Amino acid sequence: MTGGEGGERDPGLQPERTRLAWRRTTLSATVVALLAGRQALHSGASPAGLAALALTAAAWLGFLTAAHLRVVRLGVARPEPLGPRGALTAALCTVAFAVFAAAMLF
């Protein structure tokens, strides 16, 4: 659908929904990082577990930074689309969470 004259798109509440989705995803990533810390503490704090925990914390910080930048950019009336760099950062951090979680289990 197009809005008014000129065929410009009216985003309505879509930027707000996207901002809330980024916040929920950040909360989920925080829970994953905290559970990784808990697992590392309960597993006896082996060197491999501590390394995986440190890498998980780094991935969490990377995701937190990418999500924060995206949420800030969504604060305008007509936000820019997510760029390839932001999408790649979020995807790599998510994959890193899975890899480091598997490393902690073995």
Side-chain angles (χ1 to χ4, degrees):
M1 293 183 137
T2 60
E5 292 184 27
E8 291 185 30
R9 182 178 156 270
D10 179 19
L13 294 176
Q14 185 267 330
E16 179 67 20
R17 287 191 305 270
T18 304
R19 188 176 320 118
L20 291 172
W22 274 101
R23 290 183 191 267
R24 284 190 307 270
T25 306
T26 302
L27 179 61
S28 298
T30 302
V31 169
V32 167
L34 290 173
L35 288 174
R38 181 175 177 247
Q39 176 66 26
L41 291 174
H42 287 312
S43 69
S46 68
L50 291 177
L53 179 62
L55 292 172
T56 300
W60 175 73
L61 286 173
F63 187 84
L64 188 68
T65 302
H68 176 72
L69 290 174
R70 185 62 187 152
V71 166
V72 167
R73 289 184 182 133
L74 285 169
V76 298
R78 295 215 179 260
E80 294 293 321
L82 179 63
R85 184 176 177 194
L88 183 62
T89 301
L92 288 177
C93 289
T94 303
V95 171
F97 283 139
V99 170
F100 301 146
M104 277 192 212
L105 293 176
F106 297 111

